[in-house]
Amino acid sequence: MADTRSEANSATTSYLEKPLNYIDGVRVTPSEPTHRFAVSEPSTGKELIQCPSSGKKDVDEAIRSSREAFSSWSQVPATERAQLLLKVAAKLRERVHEIAKVESVEQGKPLWEAEHEVTSSAKCLEFFAGMATYASTGQHLSLDGGSFGIVRREPLGVCVGIGPWNFPIAMAVAKVGPALICGNTMVYKPSPFTPITTVMVAELFTECGLPNGVLNVVQGEGQTGALLTGHEGANKVSFTGSVATGKKVMASCASGIRPVTLELGGKSPLIIFADADLDNALKATMVANFTNQGEVCCNGTRVFLESSIKEEFVKKLVAKTKTVKVGDPLKADTKMGALITKEHREKVLNYVESAKKQGATVLCGGEKFTPDAAAVSGGYYMSPCVLDQVGDDMTVAKEEIFGPVMSIFSFTSEEEVIKRANNTNFGLAAGVFTSDVKKAHRVANQLQAGLVGVNNYNQLRDGMPFGGYKQSGIGRERAAVTIDMFTQLKSVYVEMGDVKSPY
């Protein structure tokens, strides 16, 4: 019987026999690609495919297709659109193992994490299916003289979605779900590092009855993204990625006055008070830093420990970190897989070296790691890292690392730690651990972050708006308010009497 790695590699290789652009319900080869880019398997370092990067003609075709589909899709009742989302959610659950294996191959995360991502994506679609009534409900206003007003909620048109490589399925669904339930169509571009599973999801939509053109996928690097965000046929852009690219996307949308949603980076604080349940705080600290190889925008990488507990907590933390099994993401006992690319691993390791030069102490990890298994010895692995003696002005304390690197800080007062926690250009997430409910609320209310966890961390639940303060983004995803970002309001005044005029 074939092992999991053989099955995953076979499934991925088979899937790559066809092109990865998906337009009008068919996988097509870009007609005028600008160039080709290599897609590698993070866990082995082996090249999976040379993927063509879509050019202007391909982007034009995708936008045209979605524009034509919009005229009919926007007229489908929201309840029927909801039924389709529910069918896709059911398919994701049915094929979770198959899809997760390919995701693990292309992204490098442990298989169990990939399975969780597929399942959570199904939940996200189910949530937005449940928003069908809100997505299609307007208002009626009774006015003087029997006249009345109607407020209609209408779709925007063709939406562009651009996703990251850390959660390729979940981020795609978080954009596609609300766009489609509102009656929009979407052209989606996944990250060039993870181009495969998004197409698998798009094919599931078609299999479940989505009309051709409602969801198209184009592959490409930055140039393709710029063609999409600046396209005159696009009515809305939703982007998840770095702050630097987010600024370019926003500037591109400004020329056409296109609304934009941005979910960008973070440098989130995790504050642990002495009165906290320290066993739970320890578990949360691990989750907040080493989930998905640390490649999570909302990770709590700045860990603030009240000074009276720091020594004992750090001792347990380092011991726990040393037990994290790094290796083949397709092995059941692996807890941390491979970083996305060789270049990214070097970038993360350089942050560790920079910290050491600036005076920080490496308590454990922060080195290249080579698994014993020959099949994955060429992958992009590193050992999870804990840094101590980190100053607030050090590079690792200010810049998003996007890897398994945790920085430890100590504090003595509530006022001090709030001030230091907020001393960042980011504001995506934060965490507070304390047994004092009044303190929990007091601190949470003062933290400048879009998502605050109390006595837990990284709890992104559908229905709770996700997005950032400051340079961590604009807009919110995965909640009812997201519907407002994929629709526009039209006020219709109906006169029931005669027009009054001074002329």
Side-chain angles (χ1 to χ4, degrees):
M1 185 175 182
D3 62 17
T4 303
R5 171 154 290 282
S6 297
E7 291 175 349
N9 287 340
S10 176
T12 304
T13 300
S14 176
Y15 198 78
L16 291 175
E17 290 176 356
K18 293 182 180 180
L20 294 177
N21 272 19
Y22 192 72
I23 300 176
D24 277 333
V26 180
R27 291 169 65 178
V28 295
T29 302
S31 57
E32 292 184 0
T34 56
H35 62 284
R36 290 178 177 270
F37 55 91
V39 180
S40 297
E41 180 181 5
S43 63
T44 65
K46 297 177 180 178
E47 184 177 292
L48 293 171
I49 188 176
Q50 282 283 331
C51 187
S53 190
S54 302
K56 184 178 183 303
K57 187 174 180 180
D58 306 301
V59 169
D60 287 345
E61 177 61 17
I63 294 286
R64 178 208 60 76
S65 168
S66 286
R67 174 63 59 194
E68 289 185 359
F70 173 73
S71 60
S72 56
W73 176 248
S74 59
Q75 300 305 308
V76 174
T79 51
E80 292 184 24
R81 298 196 292 261
Q83 289 301 312
L84 190 140
L85 263 59
L86 291 173
K87 289 179 182 178
V88 178
K91 282 289 183 182
L92 284 171
R93 294 182 187 279
E94 178 185 315
R95 296 173 59 181
V96 56
H97 301 300
E98 171 195 347
I99 296 171
K101 287 174 185 176
V102 178
E103 164 117 329
S104 186
V105 168
E106 75 166 345
Q107 203 278 335
K109 68 181 62 183
L111 180 58
W112 60 270
E113 285 193 13
E115 290 174 344
H116 175 75
E117 181 180 342
V118 177
T119 302
S120 68
S121 298
K123 291 180 180 179
C124 182
L125 287 177
E126 289 161 352
F127 171 79
F128 281 113
M131 295 303 298
T133 299
Y134 180 65
S136 58
T137 300
Q139 291 178 288
H140 179 278
L141 293 83
S142 296
L143 305 173
D144 56 281
S147 297
F148 59 93
I150 299 171
V151 180
R152 288 175 50 84
R153 184 180 293 277
E154 299 181 348
L156 296 170
V158 178
C159 299
V160 166
I162 299 179
W165 46 260
N166 56 339
F167 294 99
I169 296 175
M171 292 298 100
V173 164
K175 299 181 189 304
V176 173
L180 267 56
I181 196 64
C182 292
N184 300 290
T185 56
M186 177 165 274
V187 178
Y188 190 86
K189 189 192 86 65
S191 165
F193 297 137
T194 53
I196 306 171
T197 48
T198 303
V199 185
M200 298 179 78
V201 172
E203 288 189 314
L204 283 185
F205 271 93
T206 300
E207 183 181 332
C208 291
L210 186 70
N212 293 343
V214 174
L215 174 59
N216 292 321
V217 179
V218 294
Q219 307 289 348
E221 296 190 298
Q223 183 178 351
T224 306
L227 289 170
L228 284 166
T229 61
H231 202 287
E232 62 182 13
N235 301 108
K236 153 85 180 182
V237 174
S238 179
F239 170 81
T240 298
S242 70
V243 173
T245 304
K247 290 178 179 179
K248 293 178 182 178
V249 169
M250 195 171 183
S252 176
C253 291
S255 63
I257 318 296
R258 276 179 289 280
V260 59
T261 299
L262 302 174
E263 194 268 280
L264 308 177
K267 194 66 184 177
S268 303
L270 174 55
I271 302 169
I272 302 173
F273 287 96
D275 63 355
D277 180 327
L278 297 183
D279 289 336
N280 270 331
L282 176 60
K283 289 187 285 186
T285 303
M286 298 292 291
V287 170
N289 282 273
F290 304 135
T291 296
N292 207 49
Q293 300 79 244
E295 297 165 328
V296 182
C297 53
C298 54
N299 266 358
T301 56
R302 292 187 296 146
V303 180
F304 290 90
L305 301 171
E306 194 160 4
S307 57
S308 62
I309 62 167
K310 181 188 173 188
E311 183 177 353
E312 185 63 25
F313 190 90
V314 169
K315 182 179 179 181
K316 293 180 179 179
L317 176 64
V318 170
K320 189 70 173 175
T321 302
K322 288 180 177 179
T323 68
V324 174
K325 183 168 182 180
V326 181
D328 186 348
L330 293 168
K331 294 290 186 181
D333 59 347
T334 295
K335 298 302 179 185
M336 199 175 91
L339 276 67
I340 189 67
T341 64
K342 182 178 181 180
E343 292 75 18
H344 183 64
R345 180 181 64 177
E346 292 307 308
K347 178 182 177 182
V348 174
L349 291 172
N350 285 338
Y351 271 112
V352 176
E353 290 303 310
S354 169
K356 290 161 63 176
K357 291 177 181 178
Q358 292 178 17
T361 301
V362 177
L363 299 182
C364 66
E367 300 175 330
K368 290 182 181 179
F369 178 82
T370 303
D372 293 332
V376 293
S377 61
Y380 314 129
Y381 303 91
M382 69 172 285
S383 52
C385 179
V386 178
L387 296 173
D388 196 7
Q389 305 300 320
V390 180
D392 291 352
D393 292 327
M394 289 184 183
T395 303
V396 291
K398 297 173 75 68
E399 297 182 9
E400 184 177 39
I401 298 173
F402 222 64
V405 180
M406 175 196 315
S407 296
I408 302 293
F409 307 83
S410 65
F411 68 93
T412 57
S413 74
E414 184 180 317
E415 181 181 11
E416 170 206 345
V417 75
I418 292 171
K419 183 178 180 180
R420 292 170 64 193
N422 288 334
N423 184 26
T424 172
N425 291 327
F426 299 103
L428 190 55
V432 182
F433 271 77
T434 176
S435 61
D436 184 337
V437 66
K438 292 182 179 179
K439 183 193 294 182
H441 282 285
R442 192 167 59 239
V443 174
N445 290 346
Q446 294 179 76
L447 289 171
Q448 298 167 1
L451 173 67
V452 179
V454 175
N455 294 331
N456 209 331
Y457 202 83
N458 272 349
Q459 296 300 302
L460 280 68
R461 300 301 178 93
D462 296 311
M464 296 185 66
F466 180 65
Y469 284 24
K470 299 185 272 192
Q471 291 192 27
S472 286
I474 298 172
R476 295 294 184 268
E477 295 187 321
R478 308 182 76 94
V481 70
T482 311
I483 300 298
D484 299 337
M485 296 169 193
F486 282 93
T487 54
Q488 53 196 342
L489 299 180
K490 176 186 289 181
S491 294
V492 179
Y493 174 84
V494 180
E495 178 63 65
M496 297 302 289
D498 295 328
V499 175
K500 296 178 181 179
S501 172
Y503 304 106

